[in-house]
Amino acid sequence: FLTIFLADFTTKSEMGRFNFALQIINLIFLFSATANIRITSYVSDVGFESRKSQLKKLLAGTFFVSALSLPVVFFMLRQVTAIGNFSQFQGTEDLLLIAGAAIPGYIFYQLGSPIWIEKGLQKKVAILHFGNFCVFALLTPYLLSWNSLVGAAVLFATFHCGLMIIQFWLYKYEGKSKAASLKTISSRAQ
């Protein structure tokens, strides 16, 4: 969606630089995708509640590795784009830093999705994510007209920050209220 709208505000070469920055962020996102596989196995094995301490360690480890990889990749890009053959990608590292604000949101999204499936909140999560996308879509023309490449990176990060807010809200309110209602139902059954 973002790339399609960006085509109206910038040149093909700038779009290439932006997409290159997104591809680098996607490499960092692989840590979260791997953690998602581990969490899914935890949740399907014995459930979220009995593996909370392991999930917290996995969350902390994923944050640490992702946070460490962003500056490493930034400095590597800065060095590589200084070489003549890669000079057309100069400035990509700055877009990478802005888009790097999306990393926490993506981590929480990946780590939360198996939990919401276990708690039966898929429909509510889908509605909230659609609302996040609508806010993102409404902001898109304004931020892209302000500064096409920087605006696109800010939009990318904003969308994922919205995902993080949704995940926090679900964990704080919905996950606990669902667990409390299940306890009430089980105590009534007894």
Side-chain angles (χ1 to χ4, degrees), residues 80-110:
V80 168
T81 57
I83 300 170
N85 293 336
F86 298 104
S87 61
Q88 73 249 22
F89 292 111
Q90 281 184 334
T92 303
E93 65 275 5
D94 297 330
L95 295 174
L96 176 76
L97 278 184
I98 296 168
I103 293 172
Y106 190 76
I107 290 171
F108 279 106
Y109 169 75
Q110 285 291 336

Side-chain angles (χ1 to χ4, degrees), residues 41-63:
S41 71
Y42 287 164
V43 168
S44 66
D45 182 28
V46 292
F48 164 71
E49 294 297 328
S50 61
R51 295 281 187 132
K52 272 189 177 178
S53 66
Q54 290 163 319
L55 294 174
K56 287 178 183 176
K57 289 177 188 175
L58 185 61
L59 177 66
T62 305
F63 262 113

Side-chain angles (χ1 to χ4, degrees), residues 142-164:
Y142 301 108
L143 285 173
L144 291 182
S145 63
W146 163 66
N147 184 328
S148 58
L149 289 181
V150 172
V154 167
L155 279 165
F156 183 78
T158 301
F159 175 77
H160 286 86
C161 287
L163 290 178
M164 184 173 62

Side-chain angles (χ1 to χ4, degrees), residues 6 11 14 21 33 37 42 74 76 90-91 99 103 131 138 153 161 188-189:
L6 186 59
T11 65
E14 287 181 330
I37 294 168
Y42 287 164
F74 172 81
M76 285 175 52
Q90 281 184 334
I103 293 172
L138 289 172
C161 287
R188 287 181 187 166

Side-chain angles (χ1 to χ4, degrees), residues 10 13 19 54 72 84 86 108 133 140 146 152:
T10 190
S13 64
N19 283 329
Q54 290 163 319
V72 168
F86 298 104
F108 279 106
F133 176 76
T140 297
W146 163 66

